[in-house]
Amino acid sequence: MRRGVEICKGIIIGLLLLSAALLAMTIIYDSGPAEGLIGRLSAALGRAADQPPKMAQEPALTDAAQPLLISVLGQAERASFWGDFAALDAAYEALGGHLAAALDTAGAPEAVTTAEFARAARGKGVYFRYPGAVPLPVLAAWLDAGSTAKLSASRLFLGIEGERVVLLAGDGVAYCRMETQVEAALLSDALDSCPADGTRLAQELAGTPFDRLDPLALVDLSCTDIAAGGSENPCDDLFLTSTAAALGFNPYGDSKYRSDDGGTVYTESDCTLRVSTDGLLTLQNSGQHPRFSAASASAGDRIEYVRALLQALAGDRLGDGRLQFTALREAGEAVEVEFSYFLSGLPVEQGQEAAVTARFQGAVLTTLRFRVRTYTLSASEREHLLPPTQAAAVQPRGADLQAAYADVGESRLQAGWLS
């Protein structure tokens, strides 16, 4: 009987060892071929520095930016949504589907002048303004639609012409016009349901001082103040530990040290992560380690990689603020992707540089610079602004008229008009 028990034990141990071997092989092969058998086995056994961030393996594109202005002209006068994330989100939910359908069915683009775009925007339709020029295929993907147009746009207008809707798009310099298959009646019903609120585009207000402005600048004469905003540096020890782990650095090993200026530094192979005492995070991938890679070298995948990476790093530490995509600059294989902060739908300026700058060589992220801040919006305090008429009079010719916050490193944000 004792011999039978020993035989059973041997069988059970053998089965357990076989299961463990199968599990290890599954992990190894799922890890991909890039680093060889030993590298994959090491990663499977817990070497975080050899594992790519999870978001690099997620090719689906998620909204990295939404409009900061949605302005509607229906049967009544103009209605505009701006300076309030809740209102913007609701308007985009209601009207974004029409933009998706237009992108999905748009024909070949035909170049139009800035004046032609502005003239079209005076007609019945809806005007979307994004915080930066977005490649139209990427914007379409965010809206679960498709587009093959090889151009980028920060300004889009859906206009009603006869029984169909036309799409005009541009980046503030170059514009184009595209026919769509969207039925005008569907869009018209949505536009007519928006009550007028007294807002105007600058081109709809005759005479000075508004004729100095960009014709498509929104003028809301009722805007004399905005909610007060606060700012703080959230980079405490918990943030440092979670950030290092999210980027594949060992937060507890010998590779962590304090720099001469008091910041925290992590090193792994040819990669370095620095977080300064004032909340500036800098990741250097000087060896172009493939663990910091987008799914591909396409614009959409690079933008998505940065969006997902920022979400993993910041979590809920942004407070009332949002990070949105604002620029993509290409120079051969080198590409820069920028994100900026927005609070209550308004820009937060942090000096001359964007809040986030990510540099790529092909699909590989080589540098990430991220100014980490937590922003709060006051429910009771207000910041007074120069009246819009006076603000327009001192703006440079052709400028926008946009309220904004300025973060100068203090606990309270400054408020004013962008110049």
Side-chain angles (χ1 to χ4, degrees), residues 181-201:
Q181 298 301 310
V182 179
E183 294 183 11
L186 296 176
L187 178 60
S188 182
D189 289 344
L191 303 181
D192 293 343
S193 66
C194 298
D197 60 7
T199 58
R200 296 286 189 276
L201 298 182

Side-chain angles (χ1 to χ4, degrees), residues 96-107 136 139-141 143-148 158 167 178-182:
H98 299 284
L99 178 57
L103 289 167
D104 214 22
T105 62
L136 289 192
L139 177 57
L143 293 166
D144 295 324
S147 174
T148 58
L158 298 180
L167 169 62
M178 293 166 275
E179 302 283 346
T180 80
Q181 298 301 310
V182 179

Side-chain angles (χ1 to χ4, degrees), residues 5-286:
V5 171
E6 295 298 326
I7 292 173
C8 290
K9 285 183 179 179
I11 293 173
I12 291 173
I13 291 171
L15 289 173
L16 288 173
L17 290 173
L18 178 61
S19 299
L22 290 173
L23 179 60
M25 292 300 295
T26 300
I27 294 173
I28 292 169
Y29 284 110
D30 283 349
S31 300
E35 296 182 34
L37 180 61
I38 301 301
R40 295 197 303 270
L41 181 57
S42 297
L45 294 176
R47 286 182 55 196
D50 288 339
Q51 297 173 352
K54 183 179 179 182
M55 63 286 293
Q57 302 168 10
E58 298 175 358
L61 305 187
T62 304
D63 291 16
Q66 292 189 357
L68 298 182
L69 168 63
I70 301 175
S71 189
V72 170
L73 184 62
Q75 282 186 344
E77 295 180 340
R78 187 169 296 280
S80 301
F81 306 89
W82 69 279
D84 181 342
F85 276 139
L88 280 165
D89 290 348
Y92 198 42
E93 181 72 21
L95 298 168
H98 299 284
L99 178 57
L103 289 167
D104 214 22
T105 62
E110 299 177 359
V112 296
T113 65
T114 301
E116 288 174 315
F117 184 97
R119 185 164 54 250
R122 290 199 294 266
K124 189 173 183 179
V126 54
Y127 173 46
F128 299 90
R129 186 162 181 176
Y130 285 80
V134 185
L136 289 192
V138 176
L139 177 57
W142 292 346
L143 293 166
D144 295 324
S147 174
T148 58
K150 296 181 179 180
L151 55 100
S152 298
S154 56
R155 304 177 179 196
L156 299 103
F157 179 72
L158 298 180
I160 294 177
E161 291 187 7
E163 296 182 354
R164 297 293 179 186
V165 170
V166 294
L167 169 62
L168 291 93
D171 59 3
V173 177
Y175 292 92
C176 68
R177 180 183 185 278
M178 293 166 275
E179 302 283 346
T180 80
Q181 298 301 310
V182 179
E183 294 183 11
L186 296 176
L187 178 60
S188 182
D189 289 344
L191 303 181
D192 293 343
S193 66
C194 298
D197 60 7
T199 58
R200 296 286 189 276
L201 298 182
Q203 64 181 351
E204 296 168 339
L205 295 168
T208 56
F210 301 111
D211 57 1
R212 298 175 51 83
L213 301 175
D214 179 339
L216 296 170
L218 182 74
V219 178
D220 186 347
L221 294 173
S222 68
C223 180
T224 58
D225 58 46
I226 58 176
S231 172
E232 64 177 299
N233 174 11
C235 297
D236 54 17
D237 288 342
L238 180 60
F239 174 84
L240 294 174
T241 299
S242 63
T243 296
L247 291 173
F249 294 88
N250 183 351
Y252 306 108
D254 295 337
S255 61
K256 173 186 174 182
Y257 64 91
R258 293 285 182 182
S259 59
D260 293 339
D261 58 4
T264 304
V265 182
Y266 303 87
T267 60
E268 289 281 357
S269 302
D270 293 329
C271 301
T272 303
L273 170 65
R274 300 175 183 272
V275 184
S276 66
T277 55
D278 62 350
L280 177 61
L281 181 155
T282 306
L283 170 67
Q284 294 282 354
N285 182 18
S286 56

Side-chain angles (χ1 to χ4, degrees), residues 82-83 220-228 346 382-391 401-406 413-418:
W82 69 279
D220 186 347
L221 294 173
S222 68
C223 180
T224 58
D225 58 46
I226 58 176
L346 302 177
R382 310 289 295 180
E383 294 280 3
H384 293 289
L385 300 175
L386 195 66
T389 303
Q390 296 180 31
L401 188 65
Q402 187 174 34
Y405 295 99
L413 298 175
Q414 298 177 3
W417 298 97
L418 282 179

